Amino acid sequence: MSLTLSPEAQALLFRDARTANTFSDEPVTEDQVRAIYDLVKYAPTAMNGQPLRIVLVRSAEARERLVSLMAPGNQAKTAAAPLVAILAADLDFHEELPKVFPHAAGARERFAADEASRARTATFNAALQVGYFILGVRAAGLAAGPMAGYDADGIDKEFLDDAHTVMAVVNIGRPGENAWFDRLPRLPYDEVVTTV
């Protein structure tokens, strides 16, 4: 194998990692979340736009509201996870461009004038950051349970504002008993990669 990453790290982040469906009751600390963010903030984004925003659902009241908006198959595990993160795209990410992409004069104004382009850019780049977030959770030795089965409009209304839209909901914690389903098949290289 011509990979620089150690076999142990490959296993932790990729080969042995799967979506967790049950969690222990061990809490996820603020320090752990800060360490995760300190890794995932380096995800690549166009013009360094960094549109991902993270809402940590910690209170019982907020958790109850979120669970009611999840698809039936996701409700129990969302209720039981030690921590749940709502990952959202900031559709007004361009307001930060003078700070995060300072050498491009007028970048904020160009995005301000084109709402459709701004939304496409925000959601695409936030999706890249969501992938990094899952890897960051794994790098912390925790399990991630990313989900897309929810009432997106309901989550936007209950937890976000008009400038943000939900991309994923992720349960986070130490894996519990029977956390994993069997590994499902992956497509082989020759069915995915072509050369032209």
Side-chain angles (χ1 to χ4, degrees):
M1 299 290 281
S2 55
L3 297 174
T4 303
L5 201 61
S6 73
E8 295 79 16
Q10 292 175 41
L12 177 69
L13 299 177
F14 299 100
R15 299 185 194 283
D16 292 345
R18 286 177 278 167
T19 296
N21 291 286
T22 68
F23 295 88
S24 77
D25 57 3
E26 181 181 332
V28 176
T29 68
E30 182 68 17
D31 285 346
Q32 286 173 303
V33 177
R34 286 181 179 276
I36 291 165
Y37 180 72
D38 196 50
L39 284 177
V40 305
K41 68 185 179 184
Y42 296 110
T45 57
M47 300 178 76
N48 199 33
Q50 306 170 60
L52 181 69
R53 300 296 179 263
I54 303 165
V55 177
L56 301 177
V57 182
R58 289 199 182 272
S59 75
E61 179 272 332
R63 182 73 64 98
E64 188 175 316
R65 285 190 291 137
L66 178 59
V67 167
S68 73
L69 297 167
M70 300 302 293
N74 291 332
Q75 289 180 345
K77 56 189 171 185
T78 302
L83 180 63
V84 183
I86 298 170
L87 305 184
D90 181 356
L91 304 178
D92 285 341
F93 73 94
H94 65 295
E95 296 295 344
E96 302 292 341
L97 289 177
K99 176 169 59 177
V100 298
F101 206 64
H103 56 280
R108 174 175 55 190
E109 291 73 20
R110 284 195 302 276
F111 276 112
D114 189 344
E115 186 175 341
S117 174
R118 192 170 73 240
R120 281 192 307 273
T121 301
T123 55
F124 173 77
N125 288 283
L128 292 176
Q129 291 181 282
V130 167
Y132 268 68
F133 183 86
I134 293 165
L135 289 175
V137 169
R138 293 173 176 177
L142 301 171
M147 300 167 289
Y150 48 71
D151 175 353
D153 291 338
I155 290 177
D156 285 355
K157 181 179 177 183
E158 284 291 319
F159 293 95
L160 305 170
D161 59 32
D162 290 344
H164 298 83
T165 188
V166 63
M167 299 292 296
V169 175
V170 182
N171 294 329
I172 304 167
R174 300 267 179 214
E177 194 172 332
N178 301 315
W180 321 114
F181 296 141
D182 290 338
R183 170 75 78 189
L184 293 172
R186 294 300 190 262
L187 294 173
Y189 180 91
D190 292 337
E191 290 183 22
V192 175
V193 180
T194 57
T195 303
V196 295

